[in-house]
Amino acid sequence: MGSQSQPHPLPTDFTPATPAGRDGLAALLAAPDRAVIALDFDGTLADIVPDPEQARAHPGAVAALAALAPNVGSVAVITGRPAGVAVRYGGFAGVPGLEHLVVLGHYGAERWDAVTGTVRAPAAHPGVQAARAELPGFLEGIGAWRGSWIEEKGQAVAVHTRRAEDPVTAFESLRVPLAELAARHGLIVEPGRLVLELRPPGIDKGVALAEYVREVGAGCVLYAGDDLGDVAAYSTVEKLRTEGVPGLLVCSGTEVPALADRADLVVDGPAGVVGLLTALSQTAGRD
């Protein structure tokens, strides 16, 4: 672990814009061994691509995480993807420096620990299984099959519109029908960037983050995300601040104003996140 005596400043590009964010960063640099670094995957560690199956971690992401992880208390990836898929697409397994990485998949319903290399997952929600079976005919019936694409996510199922002729119009036209379908099966709809995910209620990135912070006894937390699914995690960090746990909220890009406007620090997409992680590894690791 790095020394906790004198925090070192980061490059000015990574100076938080808010007092709470500056307090969170100062706490992280003063006691990195008590810090949780929690990050979304798609749009944060990996660029958004038209086909989610082609998403891969930014070329510098794994190296930056591996350099930072030994100098902080804990690093966790929190994603809506299945945990095993995120591990595979991220290239996280067997990386020196990431021996204690945790990936919380399906908003925390699944967990992969680098220590064991295994995934713990509950049985699929029956509503998800029913919605999955109904979706192809449902989309065909409302004339929305063309250009839409169903992603199998194990504990959830998602409909993407990035391939549609008019992706935004297709996305908006599906909001109400999919919400009605989800409600029939006891599910909720989580909107994202041209994607609508049907999943069980009561699980989100905020719940997953809060439980993990309690588990490890974190003294401070950094959370980085890019989309509406990360709003719940932002709310958790804001609540932790009221309980005396400093936090830093980072937004990857500006495509989602609802998130960027709440962030303490906005960086330029996954490349900016990698730059921040690299700067933190160099600063938190100094003696």
Side-chain angles (χ1 to χ4, degrees):
M1 297 295 175
S3 170
Q4 301 176 25
S5 57
Q6 291 294 326
H8 296 271
L10 295 181
T12 55
D13 288 353
F14 301 126
T15 300
T18 66
R22 290 191 289 273
D23 288 346
L25 178 59
L28 190 164
L29 296 178
D33 59 335
R34 298 199 62 214
V36 164
I37 308 297
L39 311 110
D40 171 45
F41 184 72
D42 291 280
T44 302
L45 290 175
D47 288 308
I48 296 292
V49 293
D51 183 351
E53 292 185 356
Q54 300 303 313
R56 297 294 183 270
H58 183 280
V62 172
L65 287 170
L68 177 61
N71 297 311
V72 297
S74 180
V75 175
V77 175
I78 306 179
T79 175
R81 286 187 182 270
V85 171
V87 171
R88 213 163 50 245
Y89 291 1
F92 300 136
V95 177
L98 295 183
E99 293 88 354
H100 299 283
L101 177 70
V102 170
V103 176
L104 303 174
H106 284 312
Y107 305 91
E110 294 186 353
R111 175 168 174 156
W112 176 87
D113 286 271
V115 171
T116 62
T118 60
V119 174
R120 286 180 285 162
H125 188 285
V128 173
Q129 296 174 320
R132 181 184 299 120
E134 186 177 342
L135 261 176
F138 178 82
L139 293 172
E140 182 73 37
I142 63 174
W145 182 254
R146 190 183 199 116
S148 63
W149 181 74
I150 298 172
E151 181 186 6
E152 167 56 49
K153 303 185 76 172
Q155 304 292 328
V157 62
V159 178
H160 295 262
T161 65
R162 290 189 193 117
R163 299 174 181 173
E165 186 175 329
D166 185 342
V168 174
T169 298
F171 174 83
E172 293 298 336
S173 70
L174 283 172
R175 277 182 176 267
V176 172
L178 287 181
E180 293 172 349
L181 172 66
R184 287 205 307 273
H185 296 294
L187 306 175
I188 62 170
V189 173
E190 179 75 49
R193 290 160 69 174
L194 300 179
V195 60
L196 294 157
E197 180 173 296
L198 287 70
R199 60 179 174 82
I203 57 171
D204 60 43
K205 292 181 182 179
V207 172
L209 179 61
E211 291 177 351
Y212 188 69
V213 166
R214 284 195 295 271
E215 174 190 329
V216 301
C220 60
V221 58
L222 178 154
Y223 184 82
D226 76 302
D227 207 347
L228 293 174
D230 299 301
V231 168
Y234 269 37
S235 296
T236 287
V237 173
E238 290 164 348
K239 184 174 185 295
L240 286 168
R241 286 169 170 171
T242 68
E243 298 169 357
V245 179
L248 174 62
L249 296 170
V250 179
C251 187
S252 173
T254 58
E255 288 81 1
V256 182
L259 202 71
D261 292 347
R262 286 175 69 173
D264 305 307
L265 174 63
V266 178
V267 298
D268 187 16
V273 172
V274 169
L276 173 62
L277 295 174
T278 300
L280 286 172
S281 71
Q282 294 168 348
T283 304
R286 292 180 186 176
D287 293 325

